[in-house]
Amino acid sequence: MIKSYIKKIISVLLIPGMLVISGFQEKGSIYTCRNGQASFQSDAPLEVIKASSKNLTGAINISDRSFSFLVPTKTFEGFNSSLQKTHFNEDYMETDTYPNSTFKGKIIEEIDLSVPGTYKVRAKGKMYIHGVENDRIVRCDLTVSEKKIDVTAAFTVFLADHNISIPSILNQKIAEEIKVEISFSLTSADN
Amino acid sequence: MVHRKTEIMRKYLLFIILIFLCSITVFSQDLDQIVGSLTDNSSPDYANAAFKGTTIVNGQSTEIPGHMDLQFNISHRFGAINQGIYTLFGIDQGTTRLGFEYGLKDIVGLSIGRSTYEKTYDGAIKVKVLRQQTGVKNIPVTVSLYQAVFIKTLKWEEPDRENLFSSRLSYATQILISRKFNRNLSLQLAPSYVHKNLVPTPEDQNNIFAIGAGGRYKLTKRFSINGEYYWLLPGKTADDFANSLGLGFDIEAAGHVFQIMATNSQLMFARGYITETEGKWSEGDIYFGFNIYRVFHTGKRNKKGN
C-alpha cells in the first residue's frame, strides 16, 4: 500500500517536472528567422518580371522537424513599373483580402538538425497563396552550423494552382509558372 | 499485487501519452504564434490605389502616376445628347483635351495638357501629402494638394487695346481627401478654389469656392462605377452656372484605364467643370465622353533578350 502511495506521489511530481523539462527542451529546439528573402520571377515570352521580399519570417522546431514560414505578400518589391506592382497587389494577389503567403509542415527526412553538416531534405506541407492551400513537397538545401541553419530552396508555383487568373491579353507577358527562390538563416531562439 | 502494479503502470503511461499529445498541439500552435510575432510591423501598410485613374469622372482624384510612369491622357466630351438625331445625340461635336502626366517618387504628379475650348493650356502639380496607412502610424485618409494654372490662348478680341498676359490666366486649387474604405469602396472630398484674373463683367466673381464629392465602387477587379458632384458655394457663379454632376465607369486593361461617362460638364480642366458647367441634367444637357489613360514606364524594364 505504502509503495503504491509513493508511486502516486512520484507520478504527481514527475508529470509537472517533465512538462517543465520538455518546455525547456522545446525552447532550445526552436530556430527562427526574421528577415529571410523570397523572390520570384515570371519568365514570359515578351516580358520578364522579378520581385523580391526581405520580410520572410519563419520558425522550425528541430526536435520534431516541423516548420512554419510566412511572407506578407505586399512586401514584394521590384517589378518593371510601379503600376505593375499595383496590379500585382490589387488584381492578381489581392493582398487586401489575402495578406500573407505561408508554408507550414514537416521535414520528411528524419535527420538531427542539431548536428552540423549539409543536408538535402524534402519539406512537406501546405502552401497557402492567394487564399488557396496546396499540398507541396519542396526540396531544400540545409547547412547546419553552431546555433544556425541556412536554408535555400527553389521551386515553382503554378498560377492556376492558386486560382490566380491572368487576362488572355497578357499571357505573353506573364508566365503561368512562376519561379520562386527562398533563402534565409535560422538562429536558435535562445539567442 | 502484480495486477495492481500493471494497472498503475497503465495509468501512468496514459498520463504520459496525454501530456505528450498536449505538448504537441500546444507546440504546433506555438510555431505559428512565433512566426506571427516575428513579422515586422514597423513598415507602414499603405492603402494604395483608392482610384484607378488620376481623375474620378471629370475631377482630379488623389491618385498620381507611379514613380517614373508617364501617362498619356486623351479626353473627349461629345455634344449634348438633347440635340437629337440630327447630330446623332451630340456625336458630331465635341471638345478634346490631350495631356501628359508624370509621377515622381509616388508623391508628386506633374501634368500638362491642352483643351480645344478657348485653346486652353493647363499645367498642374499634385502632391500627396498624406498617405492612408495602418501599422506604426494610423492615417485614415490620403490627402493630395492640387494646384493648376490655365492659360487661354485665343487671339485677343481687341488687339488694338492694351492686353495683359495675366488676363489669360486662371487658377484652381484643390485639397483632395480620399479614403479607401475597403478594396471596393473609395470616397473623396474636394474643397476647391478657383481664381480668374479676368472676368467678363464687374459683377462676375474672381474668386469662386466649391466643394466636390466623389467615389467609386468596384464591381469586379477591373471594373468600377464612379460618381462625382461639385457644389458651387452661393454667389453669382452659382446663379449663372450649374453644379457639375458626372456618372461613369472605369475599365482597366493592361496599362490602360478607360473612363466612360455621362456628365453635364463639357470642359475637362478644373476651372471649366467646377465653375463653367452649363448643362442641366433636368433638360437633357448631358454629354457623353471618355478619358483614356495609357501608362508608359520610363525607367528600365526587363524585356526578353536584353
mmCIF file of all heavy atoms in Angstrom, chain B residues 68-115:
data_model
loop_
_atom_site.group_PDB
_atom_site.id
_atom_site.type_symbol
_atom_site.label_atom_id
_atom_site.label_comp_id
_atom_site.label_asym_id
_atom_site.label_seq_id
_atom_site.Cartn_x
_atom_site.Cartn_y
_atom_site.Cartn_z
ATOM 1 N N MET B 68 8.078 57.388 -62.008
ATOM 2 C CA MET B 68 8.629 57.314 -63.362
ATOM 3 C C MET B 68 7.648 56.767 -64.399
ATOM 4 O O MET B 68 8.055 56.367 -65.483
ATOM 5 C CB MET B 68 9.931 56.505 -63.394
ATOM 6 C CG MET B 68 11.069 57.188 -62.655
ATOM 7 S SD MET B 68 12.538 56.172 -62.569
ATOM 8 C CE MET B 68 13.273 56.525 -64.157
ATOM 9 N N ASP B 69 6.391 56.755 -64.057
ATOM 10 C CA ASP B 69 5.386 56.372 -65.054
ATOM 11 C C ASP B 69 4.912 57.623 -65.783
ATOM 12 O O ASP B 69 4.572 58.632 -65.155
ATOM 13 C CB ASP B 69 4.179 55.697 -64.392
ATOM 14 C CG ASP B 69 4.441 54.230 -64.088
ATOM 15 O OD1 ASP B 69 5.490 53.710 -64.536
ATOM 16 O OD2 ASP B 69 3.618 53.601 -63.404
ATOM 17 N N LEU B 70 4.912 57.560 -67.098
ATOM 18 C CA LEU B 70 4.409 58.657 -67.920
ATOM 19 C C LEU B 70 3.052 58.235 -68.451
ATOM 20 O O LEU B 70 2.918 57.179 -69.064
ATOM 21 C CB LEU B 70 5.364 58.941 -69.082
ATOM 22 C CG LEU B 70 4.917 60.065 -70.033
ATOM 23 C CD1 LEU B 70 5.018 61.416 -69.344
ATOM 24 C CD2 LEU B 70 5.771 60.060 -71.289
ATOM 25 N N GLN B 71 2.080 59.078 -68.190
ATOM 26 C CA GLN B 71 0.726 58.723 -68.577
ATOM 27 C C GLN B 71 0.250 59.671 -69.673
ATOM 28 O O GLN B 71 0.364 60.887 -69.543
ATOM 29 C CB GLN B 71 -0.160 58.841 -67.341
ATOM 30 C CG GLN B 71 -1.587 58.412 -67.556
ATOM 31 C CD GLN B 71 -2.365 58.490 -66.248
ATOM 32 O OE1 GLN B 71 -2.179 57.691 -65.333
ATOM 33 N NE2 GLN B 71 -3.215 59.466 -66.145
ATOM 34 N N PHE B 72 -0.233 59.119 -70.739
ATOM 35 C CA PHE B 72 -0.784 59.916 -71.836
ATOM 36 C C PHE B 72 -2.298 59.918 -71.683
ATOM 37 O O PHE B 72 -2.905 58.862 -71.550
ATOM 38 C CB PHE B 72 -0.358 59.301 -73.174
ATOM 39 C CG PHE B 72 -0.924 60.011 -74.372
ATOM 40 C CD1 PHE B 72 -0.880 61.399 -74.469
ATOM 41 C CD2 PHE B 72 -1.496 59.288 -75.413
ATOM 42 C CE1 PHE B 72 -1.398 62.045 -75.570
ATOM 43 C CE2 PHE B 72 -2.018 59.934 -76.526
ATOM 44 C CZ PHE B 72 -1.970 61.318 -76.600
ATOM 45 N N ASN B 73 -2.871 61.100 -71.657
ATOM 46 C CA ASN B 73 -4.314 61.220 -71.443
ATOM 47 C C ASN B 73 -4.997 61.741 -72.705
ATOM 48 O O ASN B 73 -4.600 62.759 -73.250
ATOM 49 C CB ASN B 73 -4.628 62.228 -70.325
ATOM 50 C CG ASN B 73 -3.932 61.902 -69.015
ATOM 51 O OD1 ASN B 73 -3.395 60.813 -68.846
ATOM 52 N ND2 ASN B 73 -3.933 62.840 -68.095
ATOM 53 N N ILE B 74 -6.022 61.064 -73.131
ATOM 54 C CA ILE B 74 -6.885 61.582 -74.196
ATOM 55 C C ILE B 74 -8.284 61.656 -73.600
ATOM 56 O O ILE B 74 -8.822 60.643 -73.138
ATOM 57 C CB ILE B 74 -6.953 60.622 -75.399
ATOM 58 C CG1 ILE B 74 -5.553 60.279 -75.899
ATOM 59 C CG2 ILE B 74 -7.795 61.222 -76.521
ATOM 60 C CD1 ILE B 74 -5.542 59.136 -76.892
ATOM 61 N N SER B 75 -8.841 62.852 -73.583
ATOM 62 C CA SER B 75 -10.194 63.003 -73.049
ATOM 63 C C SER B 75 -11.063 63.664 -74.100
ATOM 64 O O SER B 75 -10.611 64.534 -74.845
ATOM 65 C CB SER B 75 -10.182 63.871 -71.788
ATOM 66 O OG SER B 75 -9.336 63.288 -70.831
ATOM 67 N N HIS B 76 -12.281 63.252 -74.114
ATOM 68 C CA HIS B 76 -13.199 63.782 -75.121
ATOM 69 C C HIS B 76 -14.602 63.864 -74.546
ATOM 70 O O HIS B 76 -15.027 62.966 -73.828
ATOM 71 C CB HIS B 76 -13.179 62.854 -76.354
ATOM 72 C CG HIS B 76 -13.878 63.427 -77.540
ATOM 73 N ND1 HIS B 76 -13.251 64.290 -78.416
ATOM 74 C CD2 HIS B 76 -15.141 63.289 -77.990
ATOM 75 C CE1 HIS B 76 -14.110 64.652 -79.359
ATOM 76 N NE2 HIS B 76 -15.266 64.049 -79.129
ATOM 77 N N ARG B 77 -15.294 64.955 -74.833
ATOM 78 C CA ARG B 77 -16.711 65.046 -74.483
ATOM 79 C C ARG B 77 -17.463 65.387 -75.756
ATOM 80 O O ARG B 77 -17.103 66.348 -76.455
ATOM 81 C CB ARG B 77 -16.986 66.143 -73.440
ATOM 82 C CG ARG B 77 -16.227 66.000 -72.135
ATOM 83 C CD ARG B 77 -16.698 64.837 -71.276
ATOM 84 N NE ARG B 77 -15.903 64.771 -70.050
ATOM 85 C CZ ARG B 77 -14.752 64.104 -69.941
ATOM 86 N NH1 ARG B 77 -14.277 63.418 -70.970
ATOM 87 N NH2 ARG B 77 -14.076 64.119 -68.816
ATOM 88 N N PHE B 78 -18.473 64.607 -76.048
ATOM 89 C CA PHE B 78 -19.289 64.872 -77.237
ATOM 90 C C PHE B 78 -20.259 66.014 -76.950
ATOM 91 O O PHE B 78 -20.273 66.574 -75.857
ATOM 92 C CB PHE B 78 -20.056 63.607 -77.631
ATOM 93 C CG PHE B 78 -19.151 62.494 -78.095
ATOM 94 C CD1 PHE B 78 -18.871 61.411 -77.280
ATOM 95 C CD2 PHE B 78 -18.564 62.543 -79.359
ATOM 96 C CE1 PHE B 78 -18.030 60.402 -77.701
ATOM 97 C CE2 PHE B 78 -17.722 61.531 -79.790
ATOM 98 C CZ PHE B 78 -17.454 60.453 -78.960
ATOM 99 N N GLY B 79 -21.095 66.336 -77.946
ATOM 100 C CA GLY B 79 -22.097 67.388 -77.749
ATOM 101 C C GLY B 79 -23.248 66.879 -76.896
ATOM 102 O O GLY B 79 -23.310 65.703 -76.523
ATOM 103 N N ALA B 80 -24.167 67.803 -76.592
ATOM 104 C CA ALA B 80 -25.284 67.446 -75.721
ATOM 105 C C ALA B 80 -26.215 66.442 -76.397
ATOM 106 O O ALA B 80 -26.502 66.565 -77.595
ATOM 107 C CB ALA B 80 -26.060 68.697 -75.319
ATOM 108 N N ILE B 81 -26.676 65.467 -75.637
ATOM 109 C CA ILE B 81 -27.499 64.412 -76.248
ATOM 110 C C ILE B 81 -28.895 64.921 -76.602
ATOM 111 O O ILE B 81 -29.574 64.338 -77.426
ATOM 112 C CB ILE B 81 -27.611 63.151 -75.352
ATOM 113 C CG1 ILE B 81 -28.219 63.482 -73.986
ATOM 114 C CG2 ILE B 81 -26.283 62.469 -75.191
ATOM 115 C CD1 ILE B 81 -28.671 62.239 -73.241
ATOM 116 N N ASN B 82 -29.317 66.046 -75.992
ATOM 117 C CA ASN B 82 -30.680 66.526 -76.287
ATOM 118 C C ASN B 82 -30.785 67.229 -77.653
ATOM 119 O O ASN B 82 -31.833 67.743 -78.014
ATOM 120 C CB ASN B 82 -31.208 67.419 -75.162
ATOM 121 C CG ASN B 82 -30.359 68.665 -74.967
ATOM 122 O OD1 ASN B 82 -29.405 68.881 -75.704
ATOM 123 N ND2 ASN B 82 -30.715 69.463 -73.975
ATOM 124 N N GLN B 83 -29.675 67.249 -78.393
ATOM 125 C CA GLN B 83 -29.747 67.795 -79.750
ATOM 126 C C GLN B 83 -30.434 66.817 -80.702
ATOM 127 O O GLN B 83 -30.739 67.162 -81.837
ATOM 128 C CB GLN B 83 -28.336 68.112 -80.267
ATOM 129 C CG GLN B 83 -27.679 69.240 -79.495
ATOM 130 C CD GLN B 83 -26.237 69.434 -79.886
ATOM 131 O OE1 GLN B 83 -25.681 68.670 -80.668
ATOM 132 N NE2 GLN B 83 -25.618 70.463 -79.338
ATOM 133 N N GLY B 84 -30.596 65.613 -80.238
ATOM 134 C CA GLY B 84 -31.382 64.657 -81.002
ATOM 135 C C GLY B 84 -30.626 63.995 -82.130
ATOM 136 O O GLY B 84 -29.394 64.080 -82.236
ATOM 137 N N ILE B 85 -31.387 63.375 -83.030
ATOM 138 C CA ILE B 85 -30.818 62.522 -84.071
ATOM 139 C C ILE B 85 -30.032 63.322 -85.102
ATOM 140 O O ILE B 85 -29.137 62.801 -85.748
ATOM 141 C CB ILE B 85 -31.964 61.687 -84.733
ATOM 142 C CG1 ILE B 85 -31.405 60.550 -85.610
ATOM 143 C CG2 ILE B 85 -32.881 62.580 -85.564
ATOM 144 C CD1 ILE B 85 -30.813 59.417 -84.837
ATOM 145 N N TYR B 86 -30.353 64.641 -85.258
ATOM 146 C CA TYR B 86 -29.686 65.445 -86.282
ATOM 147 C C TYR B 86 -28.167 65.441 -86.092
ATOM 148 O O TYR B 86 -27.403 65.353 -87.037
ATOM 149 C CB TYR B 86 -30.242 66.869 -86.267
ATOM 150 C CG TYR B 86 -29.662 67.731 -87.367
ATOM 151 C CD1 TYR B 86 -29.921 67.439 -88.714
ATOM 152 C CD2 TYR B 86 -28.863 68.824 -87.066
ATOM 153 C CE1 TYR B 86 -29.383 68.214 -89.716
ATOM 154 C CE2 TYR B 86 -28.317 69.594 -88.062
ATOM 155 C CZ TYR B 86 -28.573 69.297 -89.391
ATOM 156 O OH TYR B 86 -28.031 70.063 -90.389
ATOM 157 N N THR B 87 -27.705 65.538 -84.848
ATOM 158 C CA THR B 87 -26.258 65.467 -84.576
ATOM 159 C C THR B 87 -25.872 64.102 -84.005
ATOM 160 O O THR B 87 -24.810 63.940 -83.407
ATOM 161 C CB THR B 87 -25.832 66.542 -83.561
ATOM 162 O OG1 THR B 87 -26.509 66.281 -82.331
ATOM 163 C CG2 THR B 87 -26.179 67.942 -84.047
ATOM 164 N N LEU B 88 -26.743 63.116 -84.190
ATOM 165 C CA LEU B 88 -26.598 61.786 -83.606
ATOM 166 C C LEU B 88 -26.301 61.916 -82.108
ATOM 167 O O LEU B 88 -25.309 61.429 -81.584
ATOM 168 C CB LEU B 88 -25.526 60.955 -84.325
ATOM 169 C CG LEU B 88 -25.564 59.461 -84.031
ATOM 170 C CD1 LEU B 88 -26.885 58.815 -84.405
ATOM 171 C CD2 LEU B 88 -24.417 58.728 -84.730
ATOM 172 N N PHE B 89 -27.167 62.626 -81.437
ATOM 173 C CA PHE B 89 -27.112 62.817 -79.991
ATOM 174 C C PHE B 89 -25.765 63.406 -79.542
ATOM 175 O O PHE B 89 -25.197 63.002 -78.534
ATOM 176 C CB PHE B 89 -27.449 61.510 -79.260
ATOM 177 C CG PHE B 89 -28.784 60.955 -79.665
ATOM 178 C CD1 PHE B 89 -28.875 59.967 -80.634
ATOM 179 C CD2 PHE B 89 -29.959 61.466 -79.113
ATOM 180 C CE1 PHE B 89 -30.121 59.475 -81.041
ATOM 181 C CE2 PHE B 89 -31.200 60.977 -79.516
ATOM 182 C CZ PHE B 89 -31.286 59.987 -80.486
ATOM 183 N N GLY B 90 -25.284 64.341 -80.349
ATOM 184 C CA GLY B 90 -24.084 65.064 -79.937
ATOM 185 C C GLY B 90 -22.774 64.522 -80.465
ATOM 186 O O GLY B 90 -21.722 65.129 -80.278
ATOM 187 N N ILE B 91 -22.830 63.369 -81.143
ATOM 188 C CA ILE B 91 -21.592 62.730 -81.606
ATOM 189 C C ILE B 91 -20.841 63.614 -82.606
ATOM 190 O O ILE B 91 -19.614 63.587 -82.694
ATOM 191 C CB ILE B 91 -21.896 61.343 -82.241
ATOM 192 C CG1 ILE B 91 -22.556 60.404 -81.234
ATOM 193 C CG2 ILE B 91 -20.662 60.707 -82.863
ATOM 194 C CD1 ILE B 91 -21.671 59.828 -80.177
ATOM 195 N N ASP B 92 -21.587 64.438 -83.370
ATOM 196 C CA ASP B 92 -20.961 65.298 -84.378
ATOM 197 C C ASP B 92 -20.003 66.324 -83.768
ATOM 198 O O ASP B 92 -19.090 66.785 -84.429
ATOM 199 C CB ASP B 92 -22.043 66.078 -85.147
ATOM 200 C CG ASP B 92 -22.810 65.180 -86.096
ATOM 201 O OD1 ASP B 92 -22.423 64.004 -86.209
ATOM 202 O OD2 ASP B 92 -23.790 65.648 -86.708
ATOM 203 N N GLN B 93 -20.283 66.695 -82.538
ATOM 204 C CA GLN B 93 -19.477 67.762 -81.949
ATOM 205 C C GLN B 93 -18.614 67.196 -80.831
ATOM 206 O O GLN B 93 -18.681 66.028 -80.528
ATOM 207 C CB GLN B 93 -20.397 68.834 -81.337
ATOM 208 C CG GLN B 93 -21.415 69.344 -82.312
ATOM 209 C CD GLN B 93 -22.621 69.910 -81.606
ATOM 210 O OE1 GLN B 93 -22.813 69.703 -80.416
ATOM 211 N NE2 GLN B 93 -23.419 70.643 -82.358
ATOM 212 N N GLY B 94 -17.888 68.092 -80.223
ATOM 213 C CA GLY B 94 -17.140 67.621 -79.067
ATOM 214 C C GLY B 94 -15.952 68.499 -78.760
ATOM 215 O O GLY B 94 -15.545 69.323 -79.576
ATOM 216 N N THR B 95 -15.455 68.344 -77.570
ATOM 217 C CA THR B 95 -14.226 69.021 -77.193
ATOM 218 C C THR B 95 -13.243 67.962 -76.728
ATOM 219 O O THR B 95 -13.626 66.884 -76.263
ATOM 220 C CB THR B 95 -14.454 70.034 -76.047
ATOM 221 O OG1 THR B 95 -14.897 69.304 -74.904
ATOM 222 C CG2 THR B 95 -15.481 71.070 -76.419
ATOM 223 N N THR B 96 -11.969 68.291 -76.860
ATOM 224 C CA THR B 96 -10.922 67.315 -76.581
ATOM 225 C C THR B 96 -9.872 67.930 -75.682
ATOM 226 O O THR B 96 -9.627 69.128 -75.730
ATOM 227 C CB THR B 96 -10.268 66.865 -77.902
ATOM 228 O OG1 THR B 96 -11.277 66.359 -78.764
ATOM 229 C CG2 THR B 96 -9.228 65.787 -77.685
ATOM 230 N N ARG B 97 -9.305 67.102 -74.852
ATOM 231 C CA ARG B 97 -8.113 67.525 -74.121
ATOM 232 C C ARG B 97 -7.058 66.432 -74.266
ATOM 233 O O ARG B 97 -7.354 65.245 -74.082
ATOM 234 C CB ARG B 97 -8.399 67.737 -72.632
ATOM 235 C CG ARG B 97 -7.159 68.131 -71.832
ATOM 236 C CD ARG B 97 -7.420 68.295 -70.346
ATOM 237 N NE ARG B 97 -6.187 68.605 -69.636
ATOM 238 C CZ ARG B 97 -5.332 67.674 -69.181
ATOM 239 N NH1 ARG B 97 -5.593 66.411 -69.347
ATOM 240 N NH2 ARG B 97 -4.229 68.034 -68.564
ATOM 241 N N LEU B 98 -5.850 66.846 -74.642
ATOM 242 C CA LEU B 98 -4.726 65.919 -74.690
ATOM 243 C C LEU B 98 -3.752 66.318 -73.590
ATOM 244 O O LEU B 98 -3.540 67.510 -73.359
ATOM 245 C CB LEU B 98 -4.012 65.999 -76.040
ATOM 246 C CG LEU B 98 -4.847 65.649 -77.276
ATOM 247 C CD1 LEU B 98 -4.029 65.851 -78.538
ATOM 248 C CD2 LEU B 98 -5.329 64.207 -77.191
ATOM 249 N N GLY B 99 -3.192 65.337 -72.924
ATOM 250 C CA GLY B 99 -2.288 65.711 -71.845
ATOM 251 C C GLY B 99 -1.302 64.619 -71.494
ATOM 252 O O GLY B 99 -1.447 63.458 -71.906
ATOM 253 N N PHE B 100 -0.281 65.024 -70.763
ATOM 254 C CA PHE B 100 0.696 64.091 -70.226
ATOM 255 C C PHE B 100 0.775 64.288 -68.725
ATOM 256 O O PHE B 100 0.632 65.406 -68.224
ATOM 257 C CB PHE B 100 2.087 64.340 -70.825
ATOM 258 C CG PHE B 100 2.213 63.866 -72.236
ATOM 259 C CD1 PHE B 100 2.102 64.767 -73.288
ATOM 260 C CD2 PHE B 100 2.431 62.531 -72.518
ATOM 261 C CE1 PHE B 100 2.207 64.323 -74.597
ATOM 262 C CE2 PHE B 100 2.541 62.079 -73.825
ATOM 263 C CZ PHE B 100 2.434 62.981 -74.866
ATOM 264 N N GLU B 101 1.029 63.192 -68.043
ATOM 265 C CA GLU B 101 1.144 63.247 -66.599
ATOM 266 C C GLU B 101 2.323 62.368 -66.211
ATOM 267 O O GLU B 101 2.502 61.285 -66.773
ATOM 268 C CB GLU B 101 -0.158 62.687 -65.986
ATOM 269 C CG GLU B 101 -0.670 63.435 -64.807
ATOM 270 C CD GLU B 101 -2.115 63.067 -64.473
ATOM 271 O OE1 GLU B 101 -2.880 62.717 -65.409
ATOM 272 O OE2 GLU B 101 -2.466 63.104 -63.293
ATOM 273 N N TYR B 102 3.109 62.824 -65.262
ATOM 274 C CA TYR B 102 4.324 62.089 -64.901
ATOM 275 C C TYR B 102 4.429 61.978 -63.385
ATOM 276 O O TYR B 102 4.169 62.939 -62.669
ATOM 277 C CB TYR B 102 5.542 62.828 -65.470
ATOM 278 C CG TYR B 102 6.848 62.095 -65.288
ATOM 279 C CD1 TYR B 102 7.117 60.943 -66.031
ATOM 280 C CD2 TYR B 102 7.799 62.535 -64.370
ATOM 281 C CE1 TYR B 102 8.306 60.259 -65.866
ATOM 282 C CE2 TYR B 102 8.989 61.853 -64.202
ATOM 283 C CZ TYR B 102 9.238 60.715 -64.955
ATOM 284 O OH TYR B 102 10.413 60.029 -64.793
ATOM 285 N N GLY B 103 4.809 60.806 -62.920
ATOM 286 C CA GLY B 103 4.892 60.576 -61.479
ATOM 287 C C GLY B 103 6.322 60.549 -60.982
ATOM 288 O O GLY B 103 7.214 60.012 -61.643
ATOM 289 N N LEU B 104 6.530 61.148 -59.823
ATOM 290 C CA LEU B 104 7.854 61.161 -59.211
ATOM 291 C C LEU B 104 7.741 60.622 -57.794
ATOM 292 O O LEU B 104 6.995 61.178 -56.982
ATOM 293 C CB LEU B 104 8.390 62.587 -59.158
ATOM 294 C CG LEU B 104 9.130 63.129 -60.374
ATOM 295 C CD1 LEU B 104 9.444 64.601 -60.152
ATOM 296 C CD2 LEU B 104 10.399 62.352 -60.621
ATOM 297 N N LYS B 105 8.469 59.565 -57.497
ATOM 298 C CA LYS B 105 8.586 59.019 -56.138
ATOM 299 C C LYS B 105 7.241 58.696 -55.483
ATOM 300 O O LYS B 105 7.141 58.705 -54.252
ATOM 301 C CB LYS B 105 9.363 60.008 -55.228
ATOM 302 C CG LYS B 105 10.759 60.297 -55.687
ATOM 303 C CD LYS B 105 11.729 59.221 -55.227
ATOM 304 C CE LYS B 105 13.130 59.469 -55.765
ATOM 305 N NZ LYS B 105 13.946 58.272 -55.801
ATOM 306 N N ASP B 106 6.235 58.433 -56.267
ATOM 307 C CA ASP B 106 4.910 58.112 -55.731
ATOM 308 C C ASP B 106 4.335 59.232 -54.864
ATOM 309 O O ASP B 106 3.435 59.010 -54.058
ATOM 310 C CB ASP B 106 4.930 56.800 -54.922
ATOM 311 C CG ASP B 106 5.236 55.610 -55.806
ATOM 312 O OD1 ASP B 106 4.765 55.609 -56.958
ATOM 313 O OD2 ASP B 106 5.951 54.700 -55.360
ATOM 314 N N ILE B 107 4.890 60.433 -54.976
ATOM 315 C CA ILE B 107 4.432 61.551 -54.147
ATOM 316 C C ILE B 107 3.992 62.732 -55.007
ATOM 317 O O ILE B 107 3.019 63.402 -54.712
ATOM 318 C CB ILE B 107 5.546 61.997 -53.167
ATOM 319 C CG1 ILE B 107 5.793 60.907 -52.123
ATOM 320 C CG2 ILE B 107 5.188 63.301 -52.476
ATOM 321 C CD1 ILE B 107 7.002 61.156 -51.271
ATOM 322 N N VAL B 108 4.723 62.978 -56.094
ATOM 323 C CA VAL B 108 4.467 64.165 -56.907
ATOM 324 C C VAL B 108 3.982 63.752 -58.292
ATOM 325 O O VAL B 108 4.557 62.872 -58.921
ATOM 326 C CB VAL B 108 5.745 65.022 -57.041
ATOM 327 C CG1 VAL B 108 5.466 66.248 -57.912
ATOM 328 C CG2 VAL B 108 6.248 65.448 -55.678
ATOM 329 N N GLY B 109 2.920 64.386 -58.746
ATOM 330 C CA GLY B 109 2.444 64.196 -60.109
ATOM 331 C C GLY B 109 2.478 65.529 -60.845
ATOM 332 O O GLY B 109 2.014 66.543 -60.330
ATOM 333 N N LEU B 110 3.106 65.537 -62.026
ATOM 334 C CA LEU B 110 3.178 66.756 -62.831
ATOM 335 C C LEU B 110 2.350 66.526 -64.075
ATOM 336 O O LEU B 110 2.411 65.453 -64.669
ATOM 337 C CB LEU B 110 4.632 67.044 -63.225
ATOM 338 C CG LEU B 110 5.617 67.210 -62.067
ATOM 339 C CD1 LEU B 110 7.049 67.220 -62.589
ATOM 340 C CD2 LEU B 110 5.322 68.499 -61.315
ATOM 341 N N SER B 111 1.584 67.530 -64.482
ATOM 342 C CA SER B 111 0.795 67.319 -65.690
ATOM 343 C C SER B 111 0.729 68.570 -66.544
ATOM 344 O O SER B 111 0.798 69.701 -66.047
ATOM 345 C CB SER B 111 -0.619 66.851 -65.330
ATOM 346 O OG SER B 111 -1.367 67.897 -64.787
ATOM 347 N N ILE B 112 0.656 68.340 -67.846
ATOM 348 C CA ILE B 112 0.417 69.423 -68.794
ATOM 349 C C ILE B 112 -0.662 68.945 -69.751
ATOM 350 O O ILE B 112 -0.843 67.738 -69.940
ATOM 351 C CB ILE B 112 1.680 69.821 -69.594
ATOM 352 C CG1 ILE B 112 2.334 68.582 -70.225
ATOM 353 C CG2 ILE B 112 2.663 70.586 -68.741
ATOM 354 C CD1 ILE B 112 3.352 68.907 -71.286
ATOM 355 N N GLY B 113 -1.391 69.886 -70.327
ATOM 356 C CA GLY B 113 -2.433 69.476 -71.252
ATOM 357 C C GLY B 113 -2.915 70.647 -72.058
ATOM 358 O O GLY B 113 -2.580 71.811 -71.789
ATOM 359 N N ARG B 114 -3.674 70.332 -73.065
ATOM 360 C CA ARG B 114 -4.280 71.392 -73.862
ATOM 361 C C ARG B 114 -5.688 70.972 -74.240
ATOM 362 O O ARG B 114 -5.915 69.861 -74.703
ATOM 363 C CB ARG B 114 -3.469 71.661 -75.124
ATOM 364 C CG ARG B 114 -4.038 72.807 -75.961
ATOM 365 C CD ARG B 114 -3.286 72.952 -77.262
ATOM 366 N NE ARG B 114 -3.757 74.098 -78.058
ATOM 367 C CZ ARG B 114 -4.838 74.067 -78.833
ATOM 368 N NH1 ARG B 114 -5.584 72.981 -78.910
ATOM 369 N NH2 ARG B 114 -5.187 75.135 -79.533
ATOM 370 N N SER B 115 -6.623 71.894 -74.002
ATOM 371 C CA SER B 115 -8.010 71.652 -74.354
ATOM 372 C C SER B 115 -8.369 72.478 -75.572
ATOM 373 O O SER B 115 -7.835 73.579 -75.769
ATOM 374 C CB SER B 115 -8.927 72.058 -73.198
ATOM 375 O OG SER B 115 -8.637 71.273 -72.056
#
